[in-house]
Amino acid sequence: MQPATASPIFLLAPPRSCSTVTVAMLAQHPQIYGFPELLLFTAPTVGALLGQRQEDVGLPDDWIERRLSGLYRAVAEVHRGSQDPAAIDWARAWLAERAHWPTSRLMRHLVEAVRPRVALEKSPETVTRDGALERCMTAFPDARYIHLTRHPAATVRSMKENWRTLFTGLDAEAFHALCVRAWCLAHLRILRALEKVPPRNRMRIKAEDVLRDPEGALSQVVRRLGLDWNETIAKSVRSPERWRFGGLGPAGRLYGGDWKFLTSPALRTPQPEEGSAAEDLGRGLEERPRAALAALMRRLGYT
């Protein structure tokens, strides 16, 4: 990969893939600035992003403000050095004044604002919505990409726990199939997109490896990025709770990542996945999607 002075790093992963804790751990590196979820590539302009409603993103209205709070936090922290209510209100106004900006311009602004540290960002919606990943890669052709995977059984289980209130009209089998498809489609979108990226600018890691052996897994990531690695850094990555965007902010109402991690930031060891073969996960799917799931699990090293 290119040296740390080059373009930003984007971590690509479906929802419920341990991406928040992974960013929080990498953000403990003194040369990395880990952002919360900015969602910038889900819309062409800042105004379009701020104006998204339920019909645009398929989420209840009470989730809309919450999902944008990562962007508010980032702008407030970068410009005001705070995430208190006054700083968040300032960030809202600052963004509203720049509604005409392309979202790629805002991303470049934030990347420059945190130099000499290299910017690291992840937003699962970048890989779950048509056009978002293409918008990211077009805006930053020299960016570095980390493809983060998590066992589909664990991912689907987490999706079910966190998405049930969004899909109350589906029975258990249909809801299971929806979650499996979400895992497959996001990873297939990432794999197709990264085929266009030079090998030096992309890598793949497993969330299970990151959580079980942070020093071993993240040392490889950091060295591929051309950054420093030593015993002090190795120790620091075990403290994701020290991330500047960990927790829910001074007022306890800010998000910008996995709500479970933000509510109680900590490094947790994953449980081994047993009895989770492709045929078990593929129940409720037709033959072709079930075969595609099995092939993708093999490709990503989960069989």
Side-chain angles (χ1 to χ4, degrees):
M1 286 192 170
Q2 297 178 8
T5 54
S7 293
I9 308 157
F10 293 105
L11 187 147
L12 307 178
R16 317 310 309 168
S17 296
C18 303
S19 56
T20 300
V21 66
T22 301
V23 168
M25 294 167 74
L26 284 168
Q28 301 315 304
H29 193 290
Q31 294 170 283
I32 295 175
Y33 192 101
F35 281 108
E37 293 176 10
L38 301 178
L39 304 172
L40 290 178
F41 302 110
T42 66
T45 67
V46 173
L49 176 61
L50 299 180
Q52 286 177 344
R53 291 295 178 262
Q54 181 175 359
E55 57 270 21
D56 301 314
V57 296
L59 295 171
D61 285 337
D62 60 350
W63 285 45
I64 301 299
E65 186 73 5
R66 190 185 312 170
R67 69 187 285 275
L68 289 174
S69 62
L71 178 58
Y72 301 147
R73 298 182 81 165
V75 171
E77 181 67 32
V78 165
H79 285 288
R80 308 288 284 193
S82 173
Q83 298 171 49
D84 63 22
I88 296 297
D89 287 343
W90 181 91
R92 294 175 195 269
W94 188 92
L95 287 163
E97 292 171 358
R98 290 157 179 80
H100 61 286
W101 277 19
T103 47
S104 57
R105 178 179 176 183
L106 178 54
M107 186 71 224
R108 281 191 288 270
H109 172 86
L110 293 172
V111 168
E112 292 300 323
V114 301
R115 288 193 187 278
R117 287 171 290 185
V118 59
L120 167 65
E121 197 270 348
K122 69 96 184 179
S123 293
E125 287 186 47
T126 299
V127 303
T128 59
R129 303 183 61 184
D130 290 338
L133 184 53
E134 181 180 356
R135 191 176 286 123
C136 172
M137 301 180 90
T138 299
F140 295 94
D142 296 324
R144 284 76 60 79
Y145 296 92
I146 300 172
H147 179 188
L148 178 69
T149 69
R150 184 187 186 190
H151 196 291
T155 309
V156 167
R157 183 171 61 246
S158 184
M159 287 175 175
K160 290 179 180 179
E161 292 172 355
N162 289 272
W163 291 0
R164 182 70 268 185
T165 58
L166 299 177
F167 300 99
T168 54
L170 298 180
D171 62 27
E173 185 174 275
F175 184 40
H176 174 84
L178 179 147
C179 294
V180 172
R181 284 196 296 268
W183 184 86
C184 289
L185 291 174
H187 280 302
L188 288 172
R189 184 177 284 117
I190 293 168
L191 290 167
R192 285 195 297 266
L194 292 185
E195 288 176 354
K196 305 172 186 177
V197 176
R200 69 179 182 277
N201 279 15
R202 54 181 161 91
M203 68 170 73
R204 186 188 307 154
I205 57 173
K206 290 183 177 181
E208 295 85 358
D209 294 339
V210 172
L211 298 184
R212 290 194 186 105
D213 180 17
E215 295 92 339
L218 295 182
S219 66
Q220 297 179 47
V221 172
V222 167
R223 287 180 171 126
R224 285 282 306 277
L225 292 169
L227 302 175
D228 298 334
W229 185 263
N230 54 45
E231 291 184 6
T232 300
I233 296 171
K235 183 178 180 180
S236 70
V237 299
R238 281 192 165 271
S239 301
E241 69 278 1
R242 297 174 60 187
W243 185 34
R244 71 186 72 238
F245 300 106
L248 299 176
R253 297 194 302 270
L254 300 175
Y255 292 85
D258 173 32
W259 69 272
K260 282 189 174 181
F261 174 79
L262 296 179
T263 300
S264 180
L267 178 60
R268 300 175 181 86
T269 302
Q271 297 299 314
E273 292 301 329
E274 298 177 356
S276 52
E279 52 267 29
D280 300 319
L281 283 165
R283 70 179 186 276
L285 298 180
E286 295 181 358
E287 183 177 352
R288 287 185 62 185
R290 192 164 58 248
L293 168 65
L296 185 55
M297 289 179 66
R298 288 193 296 271
R299 185 173 180 182
L300 296 180
Y302 288 111
T303 57

